[in-house]
Amino acid sequence: MIWRWETINKWIAGRGYVLGAEIGVKEGRFIEYMLANNPELSMYAVDPWEGQPGAKEDYLEWDWVDIYKAYRTRIRPHFNRVTEHRKYSKDAAKYIPDGLLDFVFIDAQHDYDSVLKDIDIWLPKVQNGGLISGHDYNPDKFPGVCKAVHERFLAPMTGENDCWGVYL
């Protein structure tokens, strides 16, 4: 199986990207892999690391204390290259200037409205020549993700492990 971080790593290879963001970090496996395989890369980690009452996916049953500890353990070797925003996507984006990022990877909520909002919030943060991408591009499991991506982009790339992306 090819993991989502391997797919995105292939897509950014050789492009000289030095600054990315992951929206929806959970245990930090994506960031850990990206930083371990790209020594010049720094990342923004955006996640509230808490349940989300009222959201379509509320994640209230998850053990957020252990999940956050796992994330912190994973990024420890790369801590100086991670800027953590323990906030919801829309709140964290206020701290990141437009055009700053080389790429963004969206893997937070999976319903249409949330994905569309995340695309709209993070698209301006990516510079020309950068990559906006995400996970769960699967019409059977997450039709809202596919609908939102196609509403904003005419012909997104798709890759292994249900990844999507668009070079800007």
Side-chain angles (χ1 to χ4, degrees):
M1 170 183 222
I2 301 292
W3 293 99
R4 58 189 170 273
W5 41 85
E6 293 173 296
T7 297
I8 301 304
N9 197 51
K10 282 191 239 175
W11 290 354
I12 72 165
R15 293 182 169 268
Y17 290 172
V18 296
L19 186 59
E22 181 182 15
I23 317 308
V25 176
K26 201 176 173 191
E27 302 106 334
R29 292 181 292 167
F30 179 91
I31 284 181
E32 175 189 33
Y33 182 90
M34 298 303 285
L35 293 173
N37 288 279
N38 298 280
E40 302 301 316
L41 183 65
S42 293
M43 295 281 300
Y44 284 95
V46 177
D47 198 305
W49 285 284
E50 65 181 18
Q52 300 173 32
K56 292 194 175 164
E57 294 173 293
D58 60 21
Y59 306 114
L60 295 176
E61 71 282 3
W62 291 5
D63 183 343
W64 285 104
V65 171
D66 283 348
I67 289 169
Y68 185 70
K69 283 180 187 175
Y71 153 75
R72 296 290 292 196
T73 299
R74 278 193 173 92
I75 66 157
R76 187 173 292 128
H78 315 287
F79 188 73
N80 61 331
R81 295 165 45 217
V82 177
T83 302
E84 180 182 305
H85 286 283
R86 196 169 183 176
K87 301 175 181 350
Y88 290 100
S89 176
K90 65 181 173 37
D91 299 321
K94 296 173 189 173
Y95 295 92
I96 299 172
D98 288 355
L100 180 69
L101 301 174
D102 293 309
F103 76 95
V104 66
F105 182 73
I106 299 170
D107 191 15
Q109 291 284 332
H110 300 93
D111 63 280
Y112 166 79
D113 289 331
S114 296
V115 175
L116 194 64
K117 285 177 189 170
D118 277 339
I119 290 170
D120 289 344
I121 289 167
W122 291 98
L123 182 60
K125 307 300 178 187
V126 180
Q127 64 179 303
N128 288 336
L131 173 71
I132 186 165
S133 60
H135 189 228
D136 298 307
Y137 186 91
N138 183 317
D140 296 324
K141 291 182 183 177
F142 300 106
V145 172
C146 299
K147 182 179 176 188
V149 169
H150 280 280
E151 190 164 310
R152 289 298 181 254
F153 305 109
L154 183 62
M157 300 182 295
T158 56
E160 295 180 88
N161 201 252
D162 297 336
C163 289
W164 64 269
V166 176
Y167 293 110
L168 305 177

Short mmCIF file of all heavy atoms in Angstrom, two decimals, residues 119 137 145-156 158:
data_model
loop_
_atom_site.label_atom_id
_atom_site.label_comp_id
_atom_site.label_asym_id
_atom_site.label_seq_id
_atom_site.Cartn_x
_atom_site.Cartn_y
_atom_site.Cartn_z
N ILE A 119 -10.72 24.52 1.34
CA ILE A 119 -10.10 24.89 0.06
C ILE A 119 -10.09 26.40 -0.08
O ILE A 119 -9.06 27.01 -0.41
CB ILE A 119 -10.81 24.21 -1.13
CG1 ILE A 119 -10.54 22.71 -1.13
CG2 ILE A 119 -10.36 24.85 -2.46
CD1 ILE A 119 -11.38 21.93 -2.14
N TYR A 137 -10.19 11.53 -1.45
CA TYR A 137 -10.85 11.72 -2.73
C TYR A 137 -11.38 10.35 -3.17
O TYR A 137 -10.72 9.62 -3.89
CB TYR A 137 -9.87 12.29 -3.75
CG TYR A 137 -10.51 12.65 -5.06
CD1 TYR A 137 -11.01 13.93 -5.27
CD2 TYR A 137 -10.62 11.72 -6.08
CE1 TYR A 137 -11.61 14.27 -6.47
CE2 TYR A 137 -11.21 12.05 -7.28
CZ TYR A 137 -11.70 13.32 -7.47
OH TYR A 137 -12.29 13.65 -8.66
N VAL A 145 -16.11 15.29 -0.47
CA VAL A 145 -14.75 15.70 -0.80
C VAL A 145 -14.63 15.88 -2.31
O VAL A 145 -14.16 16.91 -2.80
CB VAL A 145 -13.70 14.69 -0.28
CG1 VAL A 145 -12.31 15.02 -0.81
CG2 VAL A 145 -13.71 14.62 1.24
N CYS A 146 -15.06 14.88 -3.06
CA CYS A 146 -14.96 14.93 -4.52
C CYS A 146 -15.76 16.10 -5.10
O CYS A 146 -15.28 16.83 -5.97
CB CYS A 146 -15.44 13.62 -5.13
SG CYS A 146 -14.47 12.19 -4.60
N LYS A 147 -16.96 16.29 -4.59
CA LYS A 147 -17.81 17.38 -5.08
C LYS A 147 -17.16 18.74 -4.82
O LYS A 147 -17.12 19.60 -5.71
CB LYS A 147 -19.19 17.32 -4.40
CG LYS A 147 -20.14 18.39 -4.88
CD LYS A 147 -21.49 18.28 -4.20
CE LYS A 147 -22.40 19.43 -4.64
NZ LYS A 147 -23.64 19.45 -3.87
N ALA A 148 -16.61 18.94 -3.63
CA ALA A 148 -15.97 20.21 -3.30
C ALA A 148 -14.73 20.45 -4.17
O ALA A 148 -14.53 21.56 -4.69
CB ALA A 148 -15.59 20.24 -1.82
N VAL A 149 -13.91 19.42 -4.34
CA VAL A 149 -12.70 19.55 -5.15
C VAL A 149 -13.07 19.91 -6.59
O VAL A 149 -12.49 20.83 -7.18
CB VAL A 149 -11.85 18.25 -5.09
CG1 VAL A 149 -10.74 18.27 -6.14
CG2 VAL A 149 -11.29 18.05 -3.69
N HIS A 150 -14.07 19.24 -7.15
CA HIS A 150 -14.47 19.51 -8.54
C HIS A 150 -15.18 20.84 -8.69
O HIS A 150 -15.18 21.42 -9.77
CB HIS A 150 -15.30 18.37 -9.10
CG HIS A 150 -14.46 17.22 -9.54
ND1 HIS A 150 -13.79 17.20 -10.73
CD2 HIS A 150 -14.12 16.07 -8.90
CE1 HIS A 150 -13.09 16.08 -10.83
NE2 HIS A 150 -13.28 15.38 -9.73
N GLU A 151 -15.77 21.33 -7.63
CA GLU A 151 -16.40 22.64 -7.70
C GLU A 151 -15.36 23.74 -7.81
O GLU A 151 -15.61 24.78 -8.40
CB GLU A 151 -17.29 22.87 -6.48
CG GLU A 151 -18.15 24.11 -6.62
CD GLU A 151 -19.27 24.14 -5.62
OE1 GLU A 151 -20.00 23.14 -5.50
OE2 GLU A 151 -19.41 25.18 -4.95
N ARG A 152 -14.18 23.51 -7.25
CA ARG A 152 -13.13 24.53 -7.27
C ARG A 152 -12.08 24.31 -8.36
O ARG A 152 -11.44 25.26 -8.79
CB ARG A 152 -12.43 24.60 -5.91
CG ARG A 152 -13.29 25.20 -4.83
CD ARG A 152 -13.64 26.65 -5.16
NE ARG A 152 -14.44 27.26 -4.12
CZ ARG A 152 -15.74 27.51 -4.23
NH1 ARG A 152 -16.39 27.20 -5.33
NH2 ARG A 152 -16.37 28.09 -3.24
N PHE A 153 -11.91 23.07 -8.82
CA PHE A 153 -10.84 22.77 -9.77
C PHE A 153 -11.37 21.92 -10.91
O PHE A 153 -12.03 20.91 -10.68
CB PHE A 153 -9.69 22.03 -9.06
CG PHE A 153 -9.17 22.76 -7.86
CD1 PHE A 153 -9.42 22.29 -6.58
CD2 PHE A 153 -8.45 23.94 -8.01
CE1 PHE A 153 -8.94 22.95 -5.47
CE2 PHE A 153 -7.98 24.61 -6.91
CZ PHE A 153 -8.22 24.13 -5.63
N LEU A 154 -11.04 22.31 -12.11
CA LEU A 154 -11.55 21.64 -13.30
C LEU A 154 -11.01 20.22 -13.44
O LEU A 154 -11.76 19.28 -13.70
CB LEU A 154 -11.21 22.47 -14.54
CG LEU A 154 -11.71 21.95 -15.87
CD1 LEU A 154 -13.23 21.89 -15.87
CD2 LEU A 154 -11.21 22.82 -17.01
N ALA A 155 -9.71 20.05 -13.28
CA ALA A 155 -9.10 18.74 -13.51
C ALA A 155 -8.04 18.45 -12.46
O ALA A 155 -6.84 18.51 -12.74
CB ALA A 155 -8.50 18.69 -14.91
N PRO A 156 -8.44 18.11 -11.24
CA PRO A 156 -7.45 17.81 -10.22
C PRO A 156 -6.70 16.51 -10.53
O PRO A 156 -7.25 15.60 -11.15
CB PRO A 156 -8.28 17.65 -8.95
CG PRO A 156 -9.62 17.20 -9.45
CD PRO A 156 -9.81 17.91 -10.76
N THR A 158 -5.27 13.03 -9.35
CA THR A 158 -5.63 12.07 -8.31
C THR A 158 -4.50 11.06 -8.21
O THR A 158 -3.80 10.79 -9.19
CB THR A 158 -6.96 11.36 -8.61
OG1 THR A 158 -6.90 10.73 -9.88
CG2 THR A 158 -8.12 12.36 -8.59
#
